[in-house]
Amino acid sequence: MTRNDIAGAISGAVRHTGQRMPVIGRLLRRKGKARGAAPGTVVHTGLRRIDRVRLRWFEYDNSVVHEHTGDTYDRLTRTEPALDVTWLDVTGLHDTDMLSRIGQDAGIHPLVREDIGSVGQRAKLEEYGDDAVYIVLRMLTLEPGHDVIAEEQVSLYLTPRFVISFQEAEGDVFDPVRQRIRDGKGQLRGRGADYLAYALIDAIVDSYFGVLESLGEHIDALEQEVVTAPDRETVRRVYAVKRELLVMRRAVWPLRDVLNAMVRDPSRCISAETRVFLRDAYDHTVQVMDTVETLRDIVSGLMDIYLSSVSNRMNEVMKVLTIIATMFIPLTFLVGVYGMNFERMPELGWWWAYPSLWVIMLAIAGGMLAFFRRKGWL
Amino acid sequence: MTRNDIAGAISGAVRHTGQRMPVIGRLLRRKGKARGAAPGTVVHTGLRRIDRVRLRWFEYDNSVVHEHTGDTYDRLTRTEPALDVTWLDVTGLHDTDMLSRIGQDAGIHPLVREDIGSVGQRAKLEEYGDDAVYIVLRMLTLEPGHDVIAEEQVSLYLTPRFVISFQEAEGDVFDPVRQRIRDGKGQLRGRGADYLAYALIDAIVDSYFGVLESLGEHIDALEQEVVTAPDRETVRRVYAVKRELLVMRRAVWPLRDVLNAMVRDPSRCISAETRVFLRDAYDHTVQVMDTVETLRDIVSGLMDIYLSSVSNRMNEVMKVLTIIATMFIPLTFLVGVYGMNFERMPELGWWWAYPSLWVIMLAIAGGMLAFFRRKGWL
Amino acid sequence: MTRNDIAGAISGAVRHTGQRMPVIGRLLRRKGKARGAAPGTVVHTGLRRIDRVRLRWFEYDNSVVHEHTGDTYDRLTRTEPALDVTWLDVTGLHDTDMLSRIGQDAGIHPLVREDIGSVGQRAKLEEYGDDAVYIVLRMLTLEPGHDVIAEEQVSLYLTPRFVISFQEAEGDVFDPVRQRIRDGKGQLRGRGADYLAYALIDAIVDSYFGVLESLGEHIDALEQEVVTAPDRETVRRVYAVKRELLVMRRAVWPLRDVLNAMVRDPSRCISAETRVFLRDAYDHTVQVMDTVETLRDIVSGLMDIYLSSVSNRMNEVMKVLTIIATMFIPLTFLVGVYGMNFERMPELGWWWAYPSLWVIMLAIAGGMLAFFRRKGWL
Amino acid sequence: MTRNDIAGAISGAVRHTGQRMPVIGRLLRRKGKARGAAPGTVVHTGLRRIDRVRLRWFEYDNSVVHEHTGDTYDRLTRTEPALDVTWLDVTGLHDTDMLSRIGQDAGIHPLVREDIGSVGQRAKLEEYGDDAVYIVLRMLTLEPGHDVIAEEQVSLYLTPRFVISFQEAEGDVFDPVRQRIRDGKGQLRGRGADYLAYALIDAIVDSYFGVLESLGEHIDALEQEVVTAPDRETVRRVYAVKRELLVMRRAVWPLRDVLNAMVRDPSRCISAETRVFLRDAYDHTVQVMDTVETLRDIVSGLMDIYLSSVSNRMNEVMKVLTIIATMFIPLTFLVGVYGMNFERMPELGWWWAYPSLWVIMLAIAGGMLAFFRRKGWL
Amino acid sequence: MTRNDIAGAISGAVRHTGQRMPVIGRLLRRKGKARGAAPGTVVHTGLRRIDRVRLRWFEYDNSVVHEHTGDTYDRLTRTEPALDVTWLDVTGLHDTDMLSRIGQDAGIHPLVREDIGSVGQRAKLEEYGDDAVYIVLRMLTLEPGHDVIAEEQVSLYLTPRFVISFQEAEGDVFDPVRQRIRDGKGQLRGRGADYLAYALIDAIVDSYFGVLESLGEHIDALEQEVVTAPDRETVRRVYAVKRELLVMRRAVWPLRDVLNAMVRDPSRCISAETRVFLRDAYDHTVQVMDTVETLRDIVSGLMDIYLSSVSNRMNEVMKVLTIIATMFIPLTFLVGVYGMNFERMPELGWWWAYPSLWVIMLAIAGGMLAFFRRKGWL
């Protein structure tokens, strides 16, 4: 178990508690192999999030659909792929032996096998030969009420008739796709493996909108807070949202390139009809990216408001102090004068001296107040 | 009704009240289908802004023009298109059944049908086959006296002889175009469907200038306010304008790419003569973009002035406090000295002591004032 | 008279008074036609700066030069162009009828005719067919002692043997070119219309250097002021210069693209020999651009110095207050103690009490001063 | 010994002491030749970090591996290269004579020979002829507990069957590669010299992750410190991390270009199979770059939190002062009033005057406290 | 003598005095011709830095070298170029007649002749015909102890067998090149005119490293100052370094493009072998650029540290004031109470009242101190 495993496990453990999570654990879950090890070694760098690996085996064409579920690899491979599209849906990446065997049976390049298990990668597209494409995606989830985006790596291995998907944990993002395969409604069953891959990518891009909505609501609340009742926690909350936007940006930005490459570059794996749909997913990604950037601008603006609000309040504090102090300090001096014990102070004997002093002092105080009012401090 | 519908409805409702509107409602009115649903499902994600869908059917060539108006789709399709150009002008997007039927009759790609109803998209251009172009535009309006830009999505579906336009609400932006068709003045009637599409795009780009003018007047007023009488509301107003500029930028930036693509890429739908006019619209868009960026720079500068103005005023407050306090504190000490009750204080008995003390104190005060004047604080 | 005309007139009127001018009037003098009007309508959006339109008609080749001046169009067109190069130099754009007639006679595209009269455009180059180029330039002038750059739009319409130039107001920038035509010195007379266009562009680019010099002197003065005697006006002056640099940048940046296009793109209108000269003008434009960017960086730095200078001065104010207050407050307390009227205060009766108290108080004051000196506050 | 040697020696000497190191020593260890000297002169600009140069000579194919170690060049060259791949691994660059002889024997271009010894270069790739590639890499190490990244230059000279690597000091980064050659496990022995070069590059890129982890832990600690207990040292620590991220960025950014060139450009030295692996190393480099940029954003955010935290604390100090001062200053004035010695002050004789004054003063104090509570200052 | 000459003369005069130099004089030494003059007029816009123009005439091939020195042009041209490479090395640009004659004899394009004398240009490369290249370079020098970079323009005119170099003033940067020609060591004598041009460019790029070293040492000193003893001068010094980095960036950035063009574009003037060396110079330029950008980032960070240091010190001042004031203000109130002259104040008669009051006051002071300690202010 490498240092990364431990870091990953720790960061994963605190993820759902809403606690502050170390930056490094989230940004740096790197390549799985031990440092300096030979490339192609399969190591799992993430957290074992589920107890058993779960395998789902879909095989379908326009009229027929077979579905098998299991938790060991051997049982599933007995099925012979004969229909148009086969989807092997692997959930849980900690059984590296099983991943190795699946990889070898499917003829996956050693580097891809290494990548599947190392869960901190950027979205990317890699072509291997003419008819295999390996796609890494980042699935993001932000439960309402939580502050921290949970990231999960999803890998797709796509050949002309075959899709293998690798997920870290059980999630409901792919459930609608599974249901559409079972129902046979829509065009999913009538199209090829490339359309299935598109459907999975689209499901993930769709999930980004949910995260954006949660972040947006959070920012709206923060904006309200900054304007009405900022306290010392506010700046930390602004900073935390900023960091989540950085995480989101890191996840989405490379996806744009991936989808652009899928739309533009000719490849045997992806048909022209599917490209039209991928273009649509690309548009959505650009829209997400765009919104992330706008939210970043908005959050920066929040920081400005916060700082100016702090300045304003210090200004107000200063004004109160200044008004009170400058009004009473001269008066205190005056009463001090007539508290002196000089033998020869003629004023002390004048019988109207005391009331006159009050009049004078009230005049001074009134003059001060007028001065402050003219300055606009009252 | 999905979560987006609700958000859209709420955000739409507050739009015209001038209230602060949630960020998220404006940035994130996303694709219409329920999350995970099959692509091509038509859902309307916006607010039902008008009671009934309104359809206008123009058919014209250089000499003849037919115009029909109605609110049901069936009645209009009875007209047979025979003249050069046909324009179906649809206002109101909430009747998804009608949109579906129009889409199917016109042979519109399922993804386009989905896009028409989902009103939070970026400006974009998509070609379908050789002879169909789908264009999404963002219409912006900013009523004078309001702070918030209202956005509306306008879709154009263009084939060599056919234009279908989809608008969310009744607006007067296209009225001059309709009038020019009816009048037959200018070159609109003598040119094809592509020129009609240009005329509609040009009308929208023109409307941006009005928004810019309103924003510019607002910024001028803000500038005046920042320089002469900034208060705590000022920074929020600056921030609000900043946000509107972000909204504007998001709307215009992709339009530039759309128009650039229309000018550069060869397409059967758009003739070379019309390209010259589109180049003109492109220039206007660049000019709008340019102005938005410049206004953003100017607004950033306003923030600087505001902050330095706040600093300056705190400085002034501090100076008043300092002058008063440092002038009277030593004097108060002095009068305190002669208020002491020591039995042996020879000064108390001297007959010129009291007037001398006044002289001394006036000298101290005068010295202080000279010091402050030399410091430049008076 | 559209809304723009009024805005333009107002903004123009205050231009030469050195008053603050509305942002919007300067950034947004847009396309001339009324909103929604058909393209090609000629409207003048600027200010009528001169009373009568002035026309100058130069016709020359290497040996002969004809020059006519007038203020009506008809009189001039009687001259038949027979020599190599013809230059029609139009000053004043408010006679839209005359502009329309000139445009029609010269076969100018309707969009160009519209552009000539609308004076708020970006620099641009548009080719119409093979042998006509339309160029928009921004002439900038900044009179010494003024703070605000005055902009003027100059349009050139260039065909292989013909140059028409349109200016808003009489200026001396083109005078040296006119003189060189009359003198026949240099290579101007021996080259074609494209070289004449180059000479006019070069004259405008040259004028940018003058504006930069004025701005630079202004910035030097500001720098001096920020460092030695910043006051509340300083930040506004910095901000004003920043805005002028934005205006300059907006004017020069697109010119770079125009000149780059003229140097790179093959065109029948511009010969290879003239391209060498245009490359030179391009270099100058890049140099101007570069200097504008550097000045922007310098002005941003000025803002930093200003803010730190304000901070420093508040620091100094605080120090004075703190030194005086903390030195006298304990002493005032002490003298207060011996001003109390308790019957049993043995110190009051001691004969050396009063002088001892003075010694103690001087010691306290001295200790305080030593403390402040050690802190480096004195 | 040039000026650079001295600077390098000094900066190297302090490197491992954790002391602040001069910026210039780290950024500017430039080309080795004396200024103005002829190109191709071999000079060592770094620090002599080890006593003797150490040479390792590996020669291997799929079945056989020869390894020799020595510290003089002559002894090693007696071995005749006969197997598939030969790796000459040079540690220590101060013996310029030996480097010259190695360079001449291997037919290395004079400019490369100059580059090998000058240790402050950017990562770069240079092709010499068809079959020689020279690669400069930056190895980074950050010992835990240290603040300063130590940089080391590694050069690779690659021909179809030959790899020469030059390192400044003995390090353990290449040890796993050496071990894999000795063991014969994995595919290293079965592939060519280009794969060996990839393995060395991969080892260096792997080492970046370790540096990032250390930096990340440091930033996590800093974040904790900024939020809970910032002091005057905090800002310096933030600044120091910022600088290390700049150093890292400078090292990694050009490496991205190097690897991109190796993946894209056809070259006889690098086979198509190895390109797949280099693409993987490229992905890792992009990931490192990405993380560095994100960390930079995070560190910038830390600065904001720090500044707002300082502001908040000044605010708090001001509040305490203001509360105490504004509460007691009016009371002190009041008691001063009744300390006056006027002969005619009727209140002094009233028997309930003293307790009433206490009631009044408590009421004033209570009112002040209520005021502060309403302001939210308590 | 144009306005530029005067500005140039003034700015040059103060250059070596270490005085603040006007921004504009340094950024804007523009094209030499009077505004509006015909292109091709030779005017010198710089300062006459040396008394007489100095000409050096080198002619060499692998075996022979002729060298002549003089200060008039006619004497030199009597030499007939017969050997491989001829280098005319002109120092001093104020003799515009001589420059014109040299230009005409060498067949230099009029625009180049104009450029040679105008000394404020950006680095650029211009090809004239197939076999002439004109290169402008900026030589930078920063004497140790000085704050201001001195710029000098160096022009190279390169044909296949001929190099003419134009310098403003006598400098030692080219001396090593001259010495290498005389010595015949290295490869300079054996290669063509293009290699000589490379050697001159390399000498200039080398000189940038010296400037960077001086700037770096300056920044190191500034960093030390900011951290330990910042005063009001510090921010100006930071700003001054920032400005020098801007000047450096302006000089180096275009040189990168020049060298890139020389490496990439095929040209008869530059052989493939020399391109390899130019690539090396290009790498150095990129390294310089890179370092300049990093230094800019570092200097920006210095500003942050400075501002936070100022904030911290104001905080400290405030704390001292607050501690003293809040501790004594309540005590002063208390002693004021017992200084009142009410007839009925029972406490005044109690014999233990005075010592008890002291105990109470000490307790209050102690409590305050404990409070401050808990706040962390002590």
mmCIF file of all heavy atoms in Angstrom, chain B residues 228-251:
data_model
loop_
_atom_site.group_PDB
_atom_site.id
_atom_site.type_symbol
_atom_site.label_atom_id
_atom_site.label_comp_id
_atom_site.label_asym_id
_atom_site.label_seq_id
_atom_site.Cartn_x
_atom_site.Cartn_y
_atom_site.Cartn_z
ATOM 1 N N THR B 228 -18.461 61.569 -5.990
ATOM 2 C CA THR B 228 -18.978 62.644 -5.137
ATOM 3 C C THR B 228 -19.556 62.139 -3.814
ATOM 4 O O THR B 228 -19.273 62.703 -2.768
ATOM 5 C CB THR B 228 -20.068 63.437 -5.870
ATOM 6 O OG1 THR B 228 -21.113 62.524 -6.241
ATOM 7 C CG2 THR B 228 -19.523 64.101 -7.116
ATOM 8 N N ALA B 229 -20.360 61.098 -3.835
ATOM 9 C CA ALA B 229 -21.043 60.722 -2.608
ATOM 10 C C ALA B 229 -21.186 59.215 -2.460
ATOM 11 O O ALA B 229 -22.287 58.673 -2.507
ATOM 12 C CB ALA B 229 -22.434 61.383 -2.571
ATOM 13 N N PRO B 230 -20.082 58.496 -2.305
ATOM 14 C CA PRO B 230 -20.197 57.046 -2.168
ATOM 15 C C PRO B 230 -20.784 56.680 -0.810
ATOM 16 O O PRO B 230 -20.447 57.280 0.203
ATOM 17 C CB PRO B 230 -18.748 56.571 -2.280
ATOM 18 C CG PRO B 230 -17.934 57.723 -1.848
ATOM 19 C CD PRO B 230 -18.700 58.951 -2.207
ATOM 20 N N ASP B 231 -21.669 55.713 -0.799
ATOM 21 C CA ASP B 231 -22.137 55.175 0.477
ATOM 22 C C ASP B 231 -22.062 53.659 0.413
ATOM 23 O O ASP B 231 -21.494 53.089 -0.505
ATOM 24 C CB ASP B 231 -23.537 55.683 0.811
ATOM 25 C CG ASP B 231 -24.548 55.264 -0.241
ATOM 26 O OD1 ASP B 231 -24.254 54.362 -1.042
ATOM 27 O OD2 ASP B 231 -25.637 55.855 -0.280
ATOM 28 N N ARG B 232 -22.633 53.013 1.426
ATOM 29 C CA ARG B 232 -22.458 51.567 1.492
ATOM 30 C C ARG B 232 -23.190 50.853 0.369
ATOM 31 O O ARG B 232 -22.886 49.704 0.061
ATOM 32 C CB ARG B 232 -22.936 50.982 2.816
ATOM 33 C CG ARG B 232 -23.508 51.958 3.813
ATOM 34 C CD ARG B 232 -23.853 51.246 5.084
ATOM 35 N NE ARG B 232 -22.863 50.236 5.384
ATOM 36 C CZ ARG B 232 -23.001 49.315 6.315
ATOM 37 N NH1 ARG B 232 -24.092 49.283 7.038
ATOM 38 N NH2 ARG B 232 -22.078 48.415 6.521
ATOM 39 N N GLU B 233 -24.189 51.505 -0.210
ATOM 40 C CA GLU B 233 -24.907 50.880 -1.309
ATOM 41 C C GLU B 233 -24.092 50.901 -2.595
ATOM 42 O O GLU B 233 -24.307 50.087 -3.486
ATOM 43 C CB GLU B 233 -26.239 51.603 -1.541
ATOM 44 C CG GLU B 233 -27.295 51.289 -0.504
ATOM 45 C CD GLU B 233 -27.544 49.807 -0.396
ATOM 46 O OE1 GLU B 233 -27.747 49.150 -1.424
ATOM 47 O OE2 GLU B 233 -27.500 49.295 0.742
ATOM 48 N N THR B 234 -23.164 51.865 -2.679
ATOM 49 C CA THR B 234 -22.427 52.055 -3.919
ATOM 50 C C THR B 234 -21.736 50.776 -4.366
ATOM 51 O O THR B 234 -21.822 50.372 -5.521
ATOM 52 C CB THR B 234 -21.382 53.170 -3.728
ATOM 53 O OG1 THR B 234 -22.033 54.309 -3.189
ATOM 54 C CG2 THR B 234 -20.726 53.514 -5.031
ATOM 55 N N VAL B 235 -21.067 50.134 -3.420
ATOM 56 C CA VAL B 235 -20.289 48.960 -3.806
ATOM 57 C C VAL B 235 -21.214 47.866 -4.315
ATOM 58 O O VAL B 235 -20.885 47.143 -5.248
ATOM 59 C CB VAL B 235 -19.396 48.491 -2.638
ATOM 60 C CG1 VAL B 235 -20.210 47.968 -1.497
ATOM 61 C CG2 VAL B 235 -18.424 47.449 -3.112
ATOM 62 N N ARG B 236 -22.383 47.763 -3.746
ATOM 63 C CA ARG B 236 -23.330 46.756 -4.253
ATOM 64 C C ARG B 236 -23.804 47.096 -5.646
ATOM 65 O O ARG B 236 -23.995 46.233 -6.475
ATOM 66 C CB ARG B 236 -24.547 46.668 -3.329
ATOM 67 C CG ARG B 236 -24.188 46.044 -2.010
ATOM 68 C CD ARG B 236 -25.381 45.917 -1.125
ATOM 69 N NE ARG B 236 -24.962 46.202 0.245
ATOM 70 C CZ ARG B 236 -25.786 46.377 1.250
ATOM 71 N NH1 ARG B 236 -27.090 46.299 1.056
ATOM 72 N NH2 ARG B 236 -25.328 46.611 2.447
ATOM 73 N N ARG B 237 -23.993 48.389 -5.883
ATOM 74 C CA ARG B 237 -24.413 48.772 -7.227
ATOM 75 C C ARG B 237 -23.314 48.496 -8.237
ATOM 76 O O ARG B 237 -23.577 48.010 -9.335
ATOM 77 C CB ARG B 237 -24.809 50.245 -7.238
ATOM 78 C CG ARG B 237 -26.270 50.456 -6.873
ATOM 79 C CD ARG B 237 -26.718 51.861 -7.215
ATOM 80 N NE ARG B 237 -26.290 52.796 -6.196
ATOM 81 C CZ ARG B 237 -27.032 53.167 -5.148
ATOM 82 N NH1 ARG B 237 -28.238 52.692 -4.995
ATOM 83 N NH2 ARG B 237 -26.568 53.995 -4.260
ATOM 84 N N VAL B 238 -22.069 48.805 -7.856
ATOM 85 C CA VAL B 238 -20.958 48.504 -8.759
ATOM 86 C C VAL B 238 -20.917 47.012 -9.050
ATOM 87 O O VAL B 238 -20.783 46.578 -10.200
ATOM 88 C CB VAL B 238 -19.619 48.962 -8.135
ATOM 89 C CG1 VAL B 238 -18.443 48.447 -8.942
ATOM 90 C CG2 VAL B 238 -19.574 50.474 -8.039
ATOM 91 N N TYR B 239 -21.074 46.232 -7.991
ATOM 92 C CA TYR B 239 -21.050 44.777 -8.142
ATOM 93 C C TYR B 239 -22.196 44.304 -9.036
ATOM 94 O O TYR B 239 -22.032 43.416 -9.875
ATOM 95 C CB TYR B 239 -21.154 44.154 -6.749
ATOM 96 C CG TYR B 239 -21.307 42.673 -6.717
ATOM 97 C CD1 TYR B 239 -20.218 41.842 -6.971
ATOM 98 C CD2 TYR B 239 -22.526 42.093 -6.415
ATOM 99 C CE1 TYR B 239 -20.362 40.468 -6.911
ATOM 100 C CE2 TYR B 239 -22.677 40.728 -6.360
ATOM 101 C CZ TYR B 239 -21.598 39.917 -6.612
ATOM 102 O OH TYR B 239 -21.740 38.568 -6.562
ATOM 103 N N ALA B 240 -23.364 44.924 -8.893
ATOM 104 C CA ALA B 240 -24.510 44.519 -9.702
ATOM 105 C C ALA B 240 -24.252 44.813 -11.178
ATOM 106 O O ALA B 240 -24.545 43.985 -12.053
ATOM 107 C CB ALA B 240 -25.772 45.241 -9.229
ATOM 108 N N VAL B 241 -23.678 45.973 -11.468
ATOM 109 C CA VAL B 241 -23.373 46.291 -12.861
ATOM 110 C C VAL B 241 -22.351 45.309 -13.411
ATOM 111 O O VAL B 241 -22.466 44.839 -14.548
ATOM 112 C CB VAL B 241 -22.840 47.734 -12.983
ATOM 113 C CG1 VAL B 241 -22.243 47.964 -14.351
ATOM 114 C CG2 VAL B 241 -23.953 48.726 -12.753
ATOM 115 N N LYS B 242 -21.372 44.990 -12.574
ATOM 116 C CA LYS B 242 -20.360 44.013 -12.975
ATOM 117 C C LYS B 242 -21.030 42.702 -13.401
ATOM 118 O O LYS B 242 -20.651 42.088 -14.400
ATOM 119 C CB LYS B 242 -19.458 43.736 -11.780
ATOM 120 C CG LYS B 242 -17.993 43.938 -12.035
ATOM 121 C CD LYS B 242 -17.270 43.803 -10.722
ATOM 122 C CE LYS B 242 -15.777 43.669 -10.896
ATOM 123 N NZ LYS B 242 -15.088 43.753 -9.612
ATOM 124 N N ARG B 243 -22.009 42.299 -12.619
ATOM 125 C CA ARG B 243 -22.683 41.041 -12.911
ATOM 126 C C ARG B 243 -23.483 41.137 -14.197
ATOM 127 O O ARG B 243 -23.505 40.198 -14.990
ATOM 128 C CB ARG B 243 -23.593 40.672 -11.745
ATOM 129 C CG ARG B 243 -23.320 39.272 -11.284
ATOM 130 C CD ARG B 243 -24.026 38.948 -10.022
ATOM 131 N NE ARG B 243 -25.437 39.192 -10.098
ATOM 132 C CZ ARG B 243 -26.281 38.899 -9.121
ATOM 133 N NH1 ARG B 243 -25.831 38.353 -8.010
ATOM 134 N NH2 ARG B 243 -27.542 39.148 -9.227
ATOM 135 N N GLU B 244 -24.105 42.276 -14.425
ATOM 136 C CA GLU B 244 -24.853 42.412 -15.676
ATOM 137 C C GLU B 244 -23.905 42.377 -16.868
ATOM 138 O O GLU B 244 -24.229 41.821 -17.915
ATOM 139 C CB GLU B 244 -25.681 43.703 -15.672
ATOM 140 C CG GLU B 244 -26.781 43.725 -14.638
ATOM 141 C CD GLU B 244 -27.638 42.481 -14.647
ATOM 142 O OE1 GLU B 244 -28.185 42.146 -15.703
ATOM 143 O OE2 GLU B 244 -27.731 41.812 -13.588
ATOM 144 N N LEU B 245 -22.718 42.969 -16.683
ATOM 145 C CA LEU B 245 -21.743 42.923 -17.777
ATOM 146 C C LEU B 245 -21.297 41.491 -18.036
ATOM 147 O O LEU B 245 -21.066 41.090 -19.178
ATOM 148 C CB LEU B 245 -20.549 43.826 -17.465
ATOM 149 C CG LEU B 245 -20.834 45.321 -17.597
ATOM 150 C CD1 LEU B 245 -19.699 46.137 -17.007
ATOM 151 C CD2 LEU B 245 -21.019 45.701 -19.054
ATOM 152 N N LEU B 246 -21.183 40.702 -16.959
ATOM 153 C CA LEU B 246 -20.856 39.287 -17.145
ATOM 154 C C LEU B 246 -21.947 38.584 -17.944
ATOM 155 O O LEU B 246 -21.664 37.786 -18.844
ATOM 156 C CB LEU B 246 -20.712 38.594 -15.783
ATOM 157 C CG LEU B 246 -19.383 38.746 -15.054
ATOM 158 C CD1 LEU B 246 -19.457 38.076 -13.708
ATOM 159 C CD2 LEU B 246 -18.266 38.127 -15.878
ATOM 160 N N VAL B 247 -23.208 38.885 -17.601
ATOM 161 C CA VAL B 247 -24.320 38.275 -18.327
ATOM 162 C C VAL B 247 -24.263 38.665 -19.796
ATOM 163 O O VAL B 247 -24.386 37.822 -20.698
ATOM 164 C CB VAL B 247 -25.668 38.718 -17.696
ATOM 165 C CG1 VAL B 247 -26.829 38.378 -18.616
ATOM 166 C CG2 VAL B 247 -25.849 38.075 -16.342
ATOM 167 N N MET B 248 -24.014 39.936 -20.028
ATOM 168 C CA MET B 248 -23.953 40.435 -21.401
ATOM 169 C C MET B 248 -22.822 39.748 -22.171
ATOM 170 O O MET B 248 -23.000 39.335 -23.319
ATOM 171 C CB MET B 248 -23.711 41.935 -21.350
ATOM 172 C CG MET B 248 -23.677 42.581 -22.696
ATOM 173 S SD MET B 248 -24.936 43.858 -22.832
ATOM 174 C CE MET B 248 -24.941 44.074 -24.620
ATOM 175 N N ARG B 249 -21.678 39.668 -21.512
ATOM 176 C CA ARG B 249 -20.527 39.053 -22.157
ATOM 177 C C ARG B 249 -20.813 37.596 -22.531
ATOM 178 O O ARG B 249 -20.478 37.140 -23.619
ATOM 179 C CB ARG B 249 -19.388 39.088 -21.157
ATOM 180 C CG ARG B 249 -18.059 38.728 -21.717
ATOM 181 C CD ARG B 249 -17.049 39.048 -20.642
ATOM 182 N NE ARG B 249 -15.759 38.552 -20.990
ATOM 183 C CZ ARG B 249 -15.112 37.645 -20.266
ATOM 184 N NH1 ARG B 249 -15.651 37.154 -19.171
ATOM 185 N NH2 ARG B 249 -13.926 37.254 -20.636
ATOM 186 N N ARG B 250 -21.412 36.890 -21.609
ATOM 187 C CA ARG B 250 -21.776 35.498 -21.872
ATOM 188 C C ARG B 250 -22.701 35.381 -23.073
ATOM 189 O O ARG B 250 -22.679 34.386 -23.797
ATOM 190 C CB ARG B 250 -22.526 34.926 -20.668
ATOM 191 C CG ARG B 250 -21.711 34.113 -19.736
ATOM 192 C CD ARG B 250 -22.538 33.823 -18.509
ATOM 193 N NE ARG B 250 -23.688 33.004 -18.826
ATOM 194 C CZ ARG B 250 -23.705 31.677 -18.789
ATOM 195 N NH1 ARG B 250 -22.636 31.035 -18.423
ATOM 196 N NH2 ARG B 250 -24.782 31.002 -19.095
ATOM 197 N N ALA B 251 -23.566 36.386 -23.262
ATOM 198 C CA ALA B 251 -24.513 36.319 -24.366
ATOM 199 C C ALA B 251 -23.842 36.652 -25.693
ATOM 200 O O ALA B 251 -24.108 36.019 -26.716
ATOM 201 C CB ALA B 251 -25.687 37.273 -24.118
#
